[in-house]
Amino acid sequence: MMTAALCGCGGKYPELTDDDEQAILKYAATLLYENDQNRDSRLMTEDEMILAMQRRAAHAYMPEPEPTKAPEQDSDGEHADGRPGDDLIGGGEVVETRTLAEFFGLPGIDISYQGYFFTKSYPEDAGDEFYFAMDALYGNELLILQYTITNQNAQAAQVDILNLKPRFRAFINDGSQINALTTLLLDDMKTTNCTLEPGESRAVVVVFEVTEAEAASMQQLRLTVKTEEDSWTVELLGSGEPVSYNGEEGYQTAENLDQGMPVVYYELPEEFIEQADGMYFAPDYPNDTANIIVVSSEDDQESFYYSEKSYCEMLEDVYEQLYGYEVTVSCSEFTKSELNGCRTLLIRLSYNLLDVELEQVAFVVETGENRTTGITYTQVVGGPWTDAFNASLDSIRIETR
């Protein structure tokens, strides 16, 4: 069932009896519910899970290990032959020298952007051809980017995007990044792997979930696609300014570059594997639960106003809501300082989850008004990564570009 669901193109599904369908739904609901980071903490009955997960199948968190990273490349808003970027439906300009199909390495294939829309449910009218559908969480909207894949070759062509493991990120109004949902939709571009006959086309989508406020105020929309080897960026709506990247991991935006604002650079332990955007896990995960989380925020109005006490209380509230029981956080260091003129915050703490004692180091740097980058390192107390985490902290630097 999972193999069939992850295939973006292909034949029809086999007809199922009512008992078969219920068995699959119970299995899928349980699997997805257990991995759903957006679920409510209250217990649900099996029937409730089935009804909820039929419409929220896309909210499963299914990490895909990515053992290597490569530098992102610059883009200048022109085609390789010097022509300006083409206009796209919905406004905006291409800010890449390559088409999306060229980026994916699909010769003779055209992947054309058809526009976007917001919706509470997708597909809005889920017929028999859509076995899975999804709803936005309360207070949110689904942002649907529409594309058409066309085989322009004279012979049949394989379109395998699934095995490239692409990661799609959206940036709305120069805000913080929004990661595309991992879905079980049959028309999800990320999971497309099919054969197209000459001239045949296939409609696909990329799905994001945004707040209602973001949907109502969107005037700029930038899309970034990353694989293990490369990255690709395009402005779908707004200024069409190119986005530049550096040859090492770092956070920046077009506005940062225009105004000469600070950019944070760092080196993470090479053994750690990125399993989701900004989330890195130890090579023996889940046997070794050590992890590193990197977050860039464009609207952080809280980090530098915490005291040691209020920060620990905030974490205790978060963990209690997350895990359902009381968690005590003990802070051993809470230091506010500066790095190259930018405010920084270094926090070392520990806490218990059931019978496991964890230690955590968090480093936050302010790179502009309400703009921050935070790196959080977590392992069991006395774990093997202490030296590697400290070396990563020592590598952090700030440059103004």
Side-chain angles (χ1 to χ4, degrees), residues 254-270:
E255 184 175 346
N256 289 133
L257 297 172
D258 290 343
Q259 298 181 3
M261 297 182 70
V263 180
V264 181
Y265 297 98
Y266 52 87
E267 297 177 5
L268 301 183
E270 60 182 12

PDB file of all heavy atoms in Angstrom, residues 254-270:
ATOM      1  N   ALA A 254      17.888  37.575   0.501  1.00  0.00           N
ATOM      2  CA  ALA A 254      18.204  38.630  -0.456  1.00  0.00           C
ATOM      3  C   ALA A 254      18.283  39.981   0.244  1.00  0.00           C
ATOM      4  O   ALA A 254      19.126  40.812  -0.051  1.00  0.00           O
ATOM      5  CB  ALA A 254      17.143  38.655  -1.554  1.00  0.00           C
ATOM      6  N   GLU A 255      17.407  40.199   1.224  1.00  0.00           N
ATOM      7  CA  GLU A 255      17.416  41.473   1.938  1.00  0.00           C
ATOM      8  C   GLU A 255      18.695  41.614   2.760  1.00  0.00           C
ATOM      9  O   GLU A 255      19.279  42.682   2.861  1.00  0.00           O
ATOM     10  CB  GLU A 255      16.190  41.554   2.853  1.00  0.00           C
ATOM     11  CG  GLU A 255      16.076  42.899   3.570  1.00  0.00           C
ATOM     12  CD  GLU A 255      14.812  43.001   4.370  1.00  0.00           C
ATOM     13  OE1 GLU A 255      13.907  42.171   4.167  1.00  0.00           O
ATOM     14  OE2 GLU A 255      14.727  43.921   5.203  1.00  0.00           O
ATOM     15  N   ASN A 256      19.150  40.496   3.365  1.00  0.00           N
ATOM     16  CA  ASN A 256      20.407  40.545   4.100  1.00  0.00           C
ATOM     17  C   ASN A 256      21.528  41.060   3.213  1.00  0.00           C
ATOM     18  O   ASN A 256      22.305  41.929   3.604  1.00  0.00           O
ATOM     19  CB  ASN A 256      20.806  39.149   4.592  1.00  0.00           C
ATOM     20  CG  ASN A 256      19.927  38.634   5.708  1.00  0.00           C
ATOM     21  OD1 ASN A 256      19.489  37.513   5.657  1.00  0.00           O
ATOM     22  ND2 ASN A 256      19.658  39.448   6.711  1.00  0.00           N
ATOM     23  N   LEU A 257      21.596  40.509   1.985  1.00  0.00           N
ATOM     24  CA  LEU A 257      22.692  40.857   1.099  1.00  0.00           C
ATOM     25  C   LEU A 257      22.604  42.309   0.651  1.00  0.00           C
ATOM     26  O   LEU A 257      23.598  43.007   0.590  1.00  0.00           O
ATOM     27  CB  LEU A 257      22.687  39.932  -0.114  1.00  0.00           C
ATOM     28  CG  LEU A 257      22.908  38.443   0.212  1.00  0.00           C
ATOM     29  CD1 LEU A 257      22.700  37.609  -1.030  1.00  0.00           C
ATOM     30  CD2 LEU A 257      24.303  38.226   0.761  1.00  0.00           C
ATOM     31  N   ASP A 258      21.395  42.765   0.308  1.00  0.00           N
ATOM     32  CA  ASP A 258      21.234  44.133  -0.176  1.00  0.00           C
ATOM     33  C   ASP A 258      21.640  45.144   0.886  1.00  0.00           C
ATOM     34  O   ASP A 258      22.199  46.189   0.576  1.00  0.00           O
ATOM     35  CB  ASP A 258      19.767  44.375  -0.572  1.00  0.00           C
ATOM     36  CG  ASP A 258      19.395  43.597  -1.826  1.00  0.00           C
ATOM     37  OD1 ASP A 258      20.314  43.152  -2.531  1.00  0.00           O
ATOM     38  OD2 ASP A 258      18.193  43.432  -2.063  1.00  0.00           O
ATOM     39  N   GLN A 259      21.357  44.852   2.138  1.00  0.00           N
ATOM     40  CA  GLN A 259      21.611  45.813   3.197  1.00  0.00           C
ATOM     41  C   GLN A 259      22.928  45.538   3.927  1.00  0.00           C
ATOM     42  O   GLN A 259      23.229  46.177   4.915  1.00  0.00           O
ATOM     43  CB  GLN A 259      20.446  45.784   4.202  1.00  0.00           C
ATOM     44  CG  GLN A 259      19.120  46.191   3.558  1.00  0.00           C
ATOM     45  CD  GLN A 259      17.984  46.180   4.553  1.00  0.00           C
ATOM     46  OE1 GLN A 259      18.177  45.915   5.736  1.00  0.00           O
ATOM     47  NE2 GLN A 259      16.788  46.475   4.095  1.00  0.00           N
ATOM     48  N   GLY A 260      23.723  44.571   3.436  1.00  0.00           N
ATOM     49  CA  GLY A 260      24.973  44.261   4.093  1.00  0.00           C
ATOM     50  C   GLY A 260      24.794  43.735   5.495  1.00  0.00           C
ATOM     51  O   GLY A 260      25.598  44.029   6.379  1.00  0.00           O
ATOM     52  N   MET A 261      23.737  42.941   5.715  1.00  0.00           N
ATOM     53  CA  MET A 261      23.460  42.450   7.058  1.00  0.00           C
ATOM     54  C   MET A 261      24.278  41.201   7.355  1.00  0.00           C
ATOM     55  O   MET A 261      24.764  40.529   6.461  1.00  0.00           O
ATOM     56  CB  MET A 261      21.960  42.174   7.207  1.00  0.00           C
ATOM     57  CG  MET A 261      21.118  43.433   7.064  1.00  0.00           C
ATOM     58  SD  MET A 261      19.363  43.119   7.296  1.00  0.00           S
ATOM     59  CE  MET A 261      19.318  42.781   9.048  1.00  0.00           C
ATOM     60  N   PRO A 262      24.445  40.860   8.634  1.00  0.00           N
ATOM     61  CA  PRO A 262      25.303  39.736   9.031  1.00  0.00           C
ATOM     62  C   PRO A 262      24.765  38.391   8.552  1.00  0.00           C
ATOM     63  O   PRO A 262      23.550  38.180   8.449  1.00  0.00           O
ATOM     64  CB  PRO A 262      25.290  39.812  10.564  1.00  0.00           C
ATOM     65  CG  PRO A 262      24.856  41.202  10.880  1.00  0.00           C
ATOM     66  CD  PRO A 262      23.913  41.594   9.788  1.00  0.00           C
ATOM     67  N   VAL A 263      25.682  37.485   8.270  1.00  0.00           N
ATOM     68  CA  VAL A 263      25.366  36.121   7.875  1.00  0.00           C
ATOM     69  C   VAL A 263      26.099  35.181   8.823  1.00  0.00           C
ATOM     70  O   VAL A 263      27.270  35.396   9.131  1.00  0.00           O
ATOM     71  CB  VAL A 263      25.797  35.835   6.418  1.00  0.00           C
ATOM     72  CG1 VAL A 263      25.458  34.400   6.035  1.00  0.00           C
ATOM     73  CG2 VAL A 263      25.115  36.816   5.466  1.00  0.00           C
ATOM     74  N   VAL A 264      25.407  34.155   9.300  1.00  0.00           N
ATOM     75  CA  VAL A 264      25.973  33.210  10.257  1.00  0.00           C
ATOM     76  C   VAL A 264      26.523  31.998   9.514  1.00  0.00           C
ATOM     77  O   VAL A 264      25.848  31.411   8.670  1.00  0.00           O
ATOM     78  CB  VAL A 264      24.912  32.746  11.268  1.00  0.00           C
ATOM     79  CG1 VAL A 264      25.523  31.784  12.287  1.00  0.00           C
ATOM     80  CG2 VAL A 264      24.292  33.945  11.972  1.00  0.00           C
ATOM     81  N   TYR A 265      27.760  31.633   9.823  1.00  0.00           N
ATOM     82  CA  TYR A 265      28.384  30.433   9.255  1.00  0.00           C
ATOM     83  C   TYR A 265      28.754  29.488  10.384  1.00  0.00           C
ATOM     84  O   TYR A 265      29.090  29.911  11.493  1.00  0.00           O
ATOM     85  CB  TYR A 265      29.643  30.796   8.464  1.00  0.00           C
ATOM     86  CG  TYR A 265      29.374  31.669   7.267  1.00  0.00           C
ATOM     87  CD1 TYR A 265      29.549  33.044   7.338  1.00  0.00           C
ATOM     88  CD2 TYR A 265      28.933  31.111   6.078  1.00  0.00           C
ATOM     89  CE1 TYR A 265      29.288  33.852   6.247  1.00  0.00           C
ATOM     90  CE2 TYR A 265      28.683  31.902   4.980  1.00  0.00           C
ATOM     91  CZ  TYR A 265      28.860  33.268   5.066  1.00  0.00           C
ATOM     92  OH  TYR A 265      28.596  34.061   3.983  1.00  0.00           O
ATOM     93  N   TYR A 266      28.726  28.203  10.098  1.00  0.00           N
ATOM     94  CA  TYR A 266      29.028  27.207  11.113  1.00  0.00           C
ATOM     95  C   TYR A 266      29.369  25.884  10.446  1.00  0.00           C
ATOM     96  O   TYR A 266      29.081  25.663   9.278  1.00  0.00           O
ATOM     97  CB  TYR A 266      27.825  26.996  12.048  1.00  0.00           C
ATOM     98  CG  TYR A 266      26.548  26.714  11.302  1.00  0.00           C
ATOM     99  CD1 TYR A 266      26.215  25.408  10.936  1.00  0.00           C
ATOM    100  CD2 TYR A 266      25.695  27.736  10.937  1.00  0.00           C
ATOM    101  CE1 TYR A 266      25.058  25.148  10.221  1.00  0.00           C
ATOM    102  CE2 TYR A 266      24.537  27.484  10.229  1.00  0.00           C
ATOM    103  CZ  TYR A 266      24.229  26.193   9.882  1.00  0.00           C
ATOM    104  OH  TYR A 266      23.078  25.933   9.174  1.00  0.00           O
ATOM    105  N   GLU A 267      29.997  25.013  11.211  1.00  0.00           N
ATOM    106  CA  GLU A 267      30.305  23.662  10.754  1.00  0.00           C
ATOM    107  C   GLU A 267      29.682  22.679  11.731  1.00  0.00           C
ATOM    108  O   GLU A 267      29.867  22.794  12.943  1.00  0.00           O
ATOM    109  CB  GLU A 267      31.817  23.439  10.680  1.00  0.00           C
ATOM    110  CG  GLU A 267      32.521  24.328   9.670  1.00  0.00           C
ATOM    111  CD  GLU A 267      34.028  24.131   9.688  1.00  0.00           C
ATOM    112  OE1 GLU A 267      34.486  23.226  10.420  1.00  0.00           O
ATOM    113  OE2 GLU A 267      34.731  24.884   8.994  1.00  0.00           O
ATOM    114  N   LEU A 268      28.942  21.708  11.196  1.00  0.00           N
ATOM    115  CA  LEU A 268      28.323  20.687  12.030  1.00  0.00           C
ATOM    116  C   LEU A 268      29.170  19.419  11.990  1.00  0.00           C
ATOM    117  O   LEU A 268      29.916  19.195  11.036  1.00  0.00           O
ATOM    118  CB  LEU A 268      26.908  20.384  11.531  1.00  0.00           C
ATOM    119  CG  LEU A 268      25.937  21.563  11.503  1.00  0.00           C
ATOM    120  CD1 LEU A 268      24.564  21.097  11.048  1.00  0.00           C
ATOM    121  CD2 LEU A 268      25.840  22.234  12.867  1.00  0.00           C
ATOM    122  N   PRO A 269      29.089  18.578  13.018  1.00  0.00           N
ATOM    123  CA  PRO A 269      29.832  17.315  12.995  1.00  0.00           C
ATOM    124  C   PRO A 269      29.506  16.535  11.729  1.00  0.00           C
ATOM    125  O   PRO A 269      28.341  16.307  11.418  1.00  0.00           O
ATOM    126  CB  PRO A 269      29.329  16.586  14.245  1.00  0.00           C
ATOM    127  CG  PRO A 269      28.871  17.681  15.166  1.00  0.00           C
ATOM    128  CD  PRO A 269      28.319  18.748  14.268  1.00  0.00           C
ATOM    129  N   GLU A 270      30.539  16.132  10.982  1.00  0.00           N
ATOM    130  CA  GLU A 270      30.315  15.524   9.675  1.00  0.00           C
ATOM    131  C   GLU A 270      29.600  14.182   9.768  1.00  0.00           C
ATOM    132  O   GLU A 270      29.001  13.726   8.800  1.00  0.00           O
ATOM    133  CB  GLU A 270      31.638  15.349   8.945  1.00  0.00           C
ATOM    134  CG  GLU A 270      32.635  14.461   9.659  1.00  0.00           C
ATOM    135  CD  GLU A 270      33.956  14.357   8.906  1.00  0.00           C
ATOM    136  OE1 GLU A 270      34.171  15.131   7.962  1.00  0.00           O
ATOM    137  OE2 GLU A 270      34.763  13.486   9.274  1.00  0.00           O
TER     138      GLU A 270
END
